[in-house]
Amino acid sequence: MKQTAPSAEVSHGENAAGGVAGDCDMAVVLRALGHPARLEIIRALASKGRCFCGEIVEMLPLVQSTVSQHLKVLKDAGLIVGTIDGPRSCYCLNTQKLKHASSLIADLTASGEAVAPKEDNKELA
C-alpha cells in the first residue's frame, strides 16, 4: 500500500492584513529579510539612496556572486528595484513595498496585543 505525504496546503482565515494574499506577501518579505547580509544591503540602500552592485560588494565580506544572489532575493520580493546601465546594475529601495511590509507586521503585532493579556507579555520578556 502506497503512503502519500500529507498536504502542504495550509488553511488561512481572513485577517487584518488581507487574508491569504496578505499572509503570503508577508511570508515572502520576511523570508527575504531573514538573512543578515540582506538586512545589511537594505540598510546600505536606506542610507545611500542607491548603490551599484560593485559598491554593495565592497561593503560586505562576500564575493560578488553571493551578493548578486542576495540582491536577486530582495528584488524578487519587491523590496528593491534595479536598473541596468551597460555592465553595471544600480539598486534602490522600493519604499512603497517596505511601507506595505511594515504595515503588515504592525497588523500582526496589533492582532497579537488584542489577544494576549499584558501580564502574559511580561512573562515572555
Side-chain angles (χ1 to χ4, degrees):
M1 177 181 224
K2 184 178 178 181
Q3 293 182 346
T4 58
S7 172
E9 189 174 315
V10 178
S11 174
H12 299 276
E14 283 298 313
N15 60 36
V20 175
D23 286 350
C24 290
D25 193 35
M26 185 171 17
V28 169
V29 168
L30 292 175
R31 191 175 305 116
L33 294 174
H35 192 282
R38 294 194 285 267
L39 290 172
E40 189 62 29
I41 292 168
I42 293 291
R43 283 189 195 100
L45 292 173
S47 68
K48 294 187 177 224
R50 66 183 182 117
C51 291
F52 288 100
C53 183
E55 294 172 312
I56 297 168
V57 171
E58 289 175 6
M59 288 184 253
L60 298 172
L62 303 170
V63 296
Q64 190 274 332
S65 59
T66 302
V67 172
S68 291
Q69 289 173 346
H70 288 303
L71 289 167
K72 181 181 180 340
V73 171
L74 291 169
K75 192 172 180 182
D76 289 349
L79 295 170
I80 64 172
V81 291
T83 57
I84 299 172
D85 182 20
R88 297 169 37 144
S89 297
C90 186
Y91 295 94
C92 64
L93 294 178
N94 179 349
T95 55
Q96 183 178 5
K97 180 72 171 192
L98 284 167
K99 287 178 185 175
H100 177 67
S102 178
S103 72
L104 290 174
I105 293 169
D107 287 346
L108 180 65
T109 304
S111 66
E113 288 174 354
V115 175
K118 291 193 185 280
E119 55 271 2
D120 287 349
N121 289 335
K122 288 178 185 175
E123 290 177 16
L124 295 175

